[in-house]
Amino acid sequence: MSVVLAGLTTGLPHPLLTPDANPGYRRLRDAFAEARDVIRASGAERLVLYSTYWPSVIGHQAITDPNPRWTHVDELFHDLGSISYDRPVDAALAEAVVDAAKRRGLSARGVNYHGFPMDTGSVTALELLDPDCEWPAVVLSSNVYADRAETLVWAKATRDAIAASSRPTAVFAISSLSNRLFTTFIRPEDDAIHSPKDDEWNRKILQFLSEGRLEDTAQLSRTIQQQIRVKKVVNFKALWWLSAVAGPHNRYHGTVHAYAPVQGTGAAVVTLRPREEGLGDKEFDEDDVEVWRGDREVLS
Amino acid sequence: MTMNPGRIVAGALAPHPPHLVYAENPPQNEPRAECGWEMLRWGYERLRADIERARPDVLVVFSPHWQTYVGTHFLGLPRFQGLSVDPIFPNLFRYTYDLKVDVELAEAIAAAAGATGHPVKMMRNPDFRVDYGTIISCHMARPTWDLPIVAVSSCRSAAYYSVEVMQDQALALGRATAEAIGRTGRRAALLASCSLSHRHFVVEGDLPEDMSREHVTSHHNYLWDMRMIDLLRRGRLEEVLATMPEFVNQAVSEADSGALSWLIGALGHDIAGEVYAYGTVIGTGNAVVGFFPPEAA
């Protein structure tokens, strides 16, 4: 078993750049520190991130620059400040993920260019989970057109590469829960989940995850997309990827370290440790796709 | 001394596929190309010449790739320098830019838009990396970079609300843009930086400029592109607006950003467009179209 820990975190920069502007931002920041302790305790030697904040169009991308460095500014929250990063990347694992993805029928490529714009979600999560660069990371994109089948294959390719090296690995999906922002400027102290409905759904998701029911939650992804997601991409994919790479079952010890609003969205930090017992497998009614056989032309 | 009232001297649908700059091989862009997308690039050459004849003193560009879900943002410092690497096509676009901003005009547009109740913000972080849509449209329209620009973000209301809400906001922003240009005495060229149909192929050949692979993703999208281009060339801009919700939804159009609606809102009336080129880029439909409001008698 090479995946020793799974997790889900927000990627919005407020807990990193303005942690004391709102008590919720501070709770999230502290939660990242708790998750760091969980990573240490898991024995993980590296991190793999799937970021919904990094859209790709030409298949799937992985950062293969062994040491990306830049001063990043978020395109929306630029007034919160700049984020200078200098990160170690497990380029060999990233290349292995790309190769495994190609073997499974996906279009995939590594990106190794100075100045490549690592996304806000990945930068934020890495800086908060691992401020001292204890672990090399792999950062993976989220294809804008991919739906469940393609996302599962991308995750399984990631799992192939992790398993081939047999090194303990922590995998994280970087995504908000509900993603509806307030579309007017708000004071940080007035931050709140955009609607009671979004809040109720977020809490239901977190209840499932706290019970270790990762695959159950992943199976709800289409419903979650319909209920609490702005339709910027075709679906809510983070939990599909996370469950497929960590193991599509409900046998986890789940911990919700924090849940708070960020500009109206549902932001959380969750870790899931594999365990023997759990709620068992439910009636999963969707394909467990192994190989990507191409675009099904569902879009015009 | 009384300042002459400003005016929009040119408007353009000016799409931003990085492939076009890649194929131009300018010194600012690191990757080198052998050829590619000539019809669009030659169309841009003709647009460039006509913009030059209109004697603008500023470019105002609305980019879908500066995505600000909370309000419309404007570059708010006089100069930006840096390296822009396209997150989607980093193999094609790694461009060193050095651009000047007409901050006074940007602030005037922001103030005029803000007065309508639309949320606006000036972007004053010096570390900010200017988005590649802005850079590409400006480069293709004016590769000499001898004019200041105003960069306008897209607040993505089509995703958050509907195409209709997006369009209402974009039209109001366009009117505010025209009002501010008039008040500040500028001769402005406006660039709506977007494709028409916007469904990409999701694979890329080893040679990106292999034109034997280039075509529109579907006949359906081609028909939509032609319908919209025909309306633009005949100057039926009101009909473009009326058709926009269906077009965006049917053709996955990048006009969902509001760029084209903003341009039409700024032009303010029906005016026939000069179609310089139509071509596809990795399956998306792109037209280079110019609008030149006549000088007042």
Side-chain angles (χ1 to χ4, degrees), chain A residues 78-79 82 109 115 145 183, chain B residues 73 121 127 129 161 200 204:
Chain A
H78 43 77
D79 53 346
S82 309
R109 64 184 177 197
Y145 296 122
T183 53
Chain B
H73 299 216
K121 182 171 280 190
D127 297 327
R129 172 149 47 182
Y161 300 103
H200 301 79
E204 184 181 58

Side-chain angles (χ1 to χ4, degrees), chain A residues 119-135:
Chain A
D119 63 284
T120 295
S122 297
V123 172
T124 298
L126 286 171
E127 289 296 311
L128 287 172
L129 285 172
D130 186 18
D132 298 323
C133 297
E134 291 179 52
W135 303 287

Side-chain angles (χ1 to χ4, degrees), chain B residues 125-196:
Chain B
N125 186 325
D127 297 327
F128 187 78
R129 172 149 47 182
V130 178
D131 75 282
Y132 62 97
T134 293
I135 292 170
I136 292 165
S137 291
C138 289
H139 178 96
M140 294 304 295
R142 191 85 175 184
T144 50
W145 290 99
D146 58 336
L147 296 180
I149 73 165
V150 171
V152 184
S153 76
S154 166
C155 69
R156 314 302 295 175
S157 297
Y160 267 72
Y161 300 103
S162 66
V163 177
E164 288 83 355
V165 170
M166 171 281 288
Q167 187 144 274
D168 283 350
Q169 291 183 340
L171 288 169
L173 182 62
R175 289 190 291 269
T177 302
E179 177 196 325
I181 288 166
R183 193 152 29 82
T184 54
R186 302 298 198 272
R187 295 177 58 85
L190 272 52
L191 307 177
S193 172
C194 70
S195 300
L196 295 174

Side-chain angles (χ1 to χ4, degrees), chain B:
Chain B
M1 192 174 85
T2 305
M3 181 172 61
N4 289 327
R7 60 183 295 268
I8 295 168
V9 296
L13 181 58
H16 59 255
H19 307 65
L20 304 183
V21 170
Y22 166 67
E24 293 274 293
N25 289 311
Q28 297 101 321
N29 198 37
E30 184 188 340
R32 297 287 101 183
E34 187 176 14
C35 62
W37 304 279
E38 278 77 7
M39 292 302 116
L40 283 166
R41 296 195 288 118
W42 295 343
Y44 256 119
E45 282 184 10
R46 293 193 293 277
L47 170 68
R48 227 174 267 161
D50 284 349
I51 288 178
E52 172 68 23
R53 274 190 282 278
R55 296 182 292 108
D57 49 31
V58 61
L59 305 179
V60 185
V61 56
F62 183 119
S63 171
H65 290 287
W66 183 8
Q67 301 190 353
T68 54
Y69 295 96
V70 189
T72 297
H73 299 216
F74 303 82
L75 293 183
L77 292 172
R79 187 178 184 187
F80 287 88
Q81 297 169 282
L83 172 67
S84 174
V85 179
D86 186 321
I88 308 293
F89 300 100
N91 53 325
L92 306 182
F93 190 77
R94 303 190 295 277
Y95 186 101
T96 301
Y97 63 90
D98 182 353
L99 58 85
K100 302 181 292 293
V101 174
D102 186 338
V103 178
E104 182 187 354
L105 177 58
E107 290 176 338
I109 297 172
T116 70
H118 185 68
V120 294
K121 182 171 280 190
M122 300 302 296
M123 203 308 297
R124 302 197 200 273
N125 186 325
D127 297 327
F128 187 78
R129 172 149 47 182
V130 178
D131 75 282
Y132 62 97
T134 293
I135 292 170
I136 292 165
S137 291
C138 289
H139 178 96
M140 294 304 295
R142 191 85 175 184
T144 50
W145 290 99
D146 58 336
L147 296 180
I149 73 165
V150 171
V152 184
S153 76
S154 166
C155 69
R156 314 302 295 175
S157 297
Y160 267 72
Y161 300 103
S162 66
V163 177
E164 288 83 355
V165 170
M166 171 281 288
Q167 187 144 274
D168 283 350
Q169 291 183 340
L171 288 169
L173 182 62
R175 289 190 291 269
T177 302
E179 177 196 325
I181 288 166
R183 193 152 29 82
T184 54
R186 302 298 198 272
R187 295 177 58 85
L190 272 52
L191 307 177
S193 172
C194 70
S195 300
L196 295 174
S197 68
H198 201 235
R199 183 64 159 99
H200 301 79
F201 293 119
V202 294
V203 295
E204 184 181 58
D206 292 337
L207 186 66
E209 60 265 42
D210 178 357
M211 290 295 101
S212 70
R213 299 169 63 100
E214 187 62 78
H215 59 88
V216 70
T217 49
S218 71
H219 180 58
H220 167 93
N221 278 357
Y222 181 80
L223 290 174
W224 267 110
D225 287 343
M226 290 307 114
R227 178 173 176 178
M228 300 307 281
I229 289 170
D230 189 49
L231 293 175
L232 293 171
R233 62 190 281 273
R234 288 193 283 150
R236 294 168 62 173
L237 303 188
E238 285 292 336
E239 196 170 338
V240 170
L241 297 177
T243 310
M244 189 67 73
E246 195 178 0
F247 172 54
V248 166
N249 290 321
Q250 290 283 323
V252 204
S253 175
E254 203 177 29
D256 71 338
S257 62
L260 181 55
S261 304
W262 164 80
L263 175 63
I264 293 172
L267 291 171
H269 55 86
D270 280 347
I271 176 174
E274 174 72 24
V275 178
Y276 297 98
Y278 171 78
T280 67
V281 178
I282 200 155
T284 65
N286 297 273
V288 181
V289 184
F291 302 89
F292 295 90
E295 298 272 359

Side-chain angles (χ1 to χ4, degrees), chain A residues 212-248:
Chain A
R213 300 166 66 182
L214 175 56
E215 178 59 17
D216 275 357
T217 321
Q219 292 275 334
L220 281 172
S221 291
R222 294 187 197 283
T223 304
I224 292 168
Q225 172 79 357
Q226 290 164 2
Q227 292 291 332
I228 58 168
R229 300 283 297 182
V230 173
K231 310 299 183 291
K232 291 186 281 190
V233 294
V234 295
N235 233 317
F236 178 54
K237 309 170 197 176
L239 294 173
W240 284 334
W241 181 88
L242 191 66
S243 185
V245 73

Side-chain angles (χ1 to χ4, degrees), chain A residues 74-94:
Chain A
D74 185 72
E75 63 183 342
L76 171 55
F77 300 111
H78 43 77
D79 53 346
L80 300 186
S82 309
I83 310 170
S84 293
Y85 63 85
D86 184 340
R87 306 297 318 180
V89 161
D90 187 336
L93 178 61

